[in-house]
Amino acid sequence: MQECDYEIEAAATKQFKLNLSPYPDLSVPAVVPSLSSKRVLTTEWMPGTSIDRAAAEQMSVAERDRVGSTLLWLSLSELFQYRFMQTDPNWSNFLYDARTQQISLIDFGACQSYDPEFVDAYLRLVRACAEGESQREAILHWSHELDFLTGSESREMLDAHVSAAVLVGSPFDARKQPFDFGAQDISKRIAADVGTMIKHRLTPPREEIYTLHRRLNGCFQLASRVGATIPAREILLDVYNSHQWHQPETQSEEGAHGVGGAESPLREAIVTG
């Protein structure tokens, strides 16, 4: 198993440390090669408290919002910028140091790489979901490209799929900004649609979808646990507008989304701390 191979985990830890080195709000432990092997992994000690506990005991409202925003940006950036995601959303893997206000990431035993075509299509799907029912055809198109759908599904299945997709995209809805993750109940509201999809789907999701959705759901749940209100749409558009496309977006796709403009200042805020 990958999570029991500490040479793989050491390599993943080093990659994350390199990826996140420009961002002072985020920290990854250094690996100690002389004390590590295939069966043992030694890293530097990272100070802090699990982030949900820290939110309850140490953070102001503004700090909870900042931390939640950083974690959402991190999840989207891992997938869409680096195409290399830590897929275990265990809250204890994110530590908060009240003295420095730094977030430390630990435990990189469960990481997943994603190919550029998959990432491009998934970002376009997320962007369509953020626009809601008005982008039904785009949601169905990119869902088919990503093998969620075969093209032969019943109307009941398609309606449930679009409904669930719009619910998952609701934190990015322009009408709901900033989004209060502490008050969201997406998991409860989506339950009926998930039941319909399990009953009527003609194909299971691709293997990498399971780990990806585990992390994204964990991100939403962690933001809820922290009690953060987040400019989620701004973060998504920042990631979207700065994305390096493997397959360039067509003019018709740009028009369908109705989005453009300059890059958000949020990335600069995270970089400068």
Side-chain angles (χ1 to χ4, degrees):
M1 292 178 62
Q2 177 179 322
E3 292 190 53
C4 297
D5 188 328
Y6 292 119
E7 288 180 341
I8 293 177
E9 183 171 349
T13 304
K14 292 175 183 178
Q15 186 62 55
F16 262 87
K17 190 170 184 64
L18 177 64
N19 291 350
L20 299 180
S21 59
Y23 307 106
D25 284 359
L26 299 166
S27 182
V28 175
V31 173
V32 184
S34 62
L35 298 177
S36 300
S37 68
K38 193 176 185 68
R39 300 181 62 183
V40 176
L41 175 62
T42 306
T43 71
E44 67 175 312
W45 172 262
M46 305 305 285
T49 305
S50 65
I51 210 156
D52 58 320
R53 180 179 173 186
E57 298 176 357
Q58 300 173 334
M59 295 183 198
S60 65
V61 172
E63 182 65 359
R64 290 201 300 270
D65 293 347
R66 184 191 70 83
V67 166
S69 296
T70 300
L71 292 174
L72 178 59
W73 173 87
L74 174 65
S75 295
L76 297 181
S77 295
E78 286 180 31
L79 176 59
F80 299 122
Q81 180 178 350
Y82 300 113
R83 294 188 284 108
F84 187 58
M85 176 175 268
Q86 195 269 47
T87 59
D88 181 0
N90 189 321
W91 296 330
S92 62
N93 290 341
F94 301 89
L95 304 178
Y96 177 80
D97 186 346
R99 183 180 63 84
T100 63
Q101 297 184 321
Q102 191 174 57
I103 301 168
S104 294
L105 284 62
I106 59 174
D107 190 352
F108 297 92
C111 293
Q112 174 82 45
S113 296
Y114 302 92
D115 65 62
E117 295 86 355
F118 173 87
V119 168
D120 279 6
Y122 198 86
L123 180 52
R124 286 170 172 138
L125 175 60
V126 173
R127 185 69 187 85
C129 293
E131 299 309 303
E133 289 282 352
S134 68
Q135 289 297 308
R136 177 186 176 93
E137 293 307 313
I139 291 170
L140 292 176
H141 170 75
W142 292 114
S143 295
H144 185 266
E145 290 291 310
L146 288 161
D147 298 328
F148 284 106
L149 304 172
T150 67
S152 300
E153 281 77 13
S154 66
R155 178 66 184 228
E156 184 177 7
M157 170 62 189
L158 296 179
D159 287 348
H161 180 82
V162 171
S163 175
V166 170
L167 274 173
V168 172
S170 61
F172 307 109
D173 187 327
R175 299 165 297 180
K176 300 177 180 179
Q177 301 306 303
F179 188 81
D180 184 354
F181 278 87
Q184 62 89 13
D185 59 351
I186 294 172
S187 296
K188 293 180 180 178
R189 293 169 60 199
I190 207 172
D193 291 325
V194 170
T196 299
M197 289 188 290
I198 291 174
K199 182 178 180 180
H200 294 283
R201 72 184 182 186
L202 300 180
T203 185
R206 291 163 57 160
E207 182 179 353
E208 62 264 48
I209 289 290
Y210 290 103
T211 54
L212 168 57
H213 284 186
R214 179 174 67 174
R215 170 60 187 277
L216 293 181
N217 179 63
C219 176
F220 281 15
Q221 294 300 319
L222 183 54
S224 175
R225 186 86 170 186
V226 169
T229 298
I230 299 173
R233 184 179 180 84
E234 179 184 349
I235 295 171
L236 174 62
L237 295 188
D238 175 40
V239 170
Y240 188 92
N241 290 336
S242 61
H243 184 65
Q244 299 297 309
W245 298 97
H246 180 74
Q247 294 290 339
E249 193 171 42
T250 66
Q251 185 174 5
S252 61
E253 288 169 346
E254 292 173 355
H257 295 319
V259 63
E263 183 175 321
S264 161
L266 180 69
R267 181 186 299 272
E268 181 180 353
I270 293 173
V271 171
T272 57

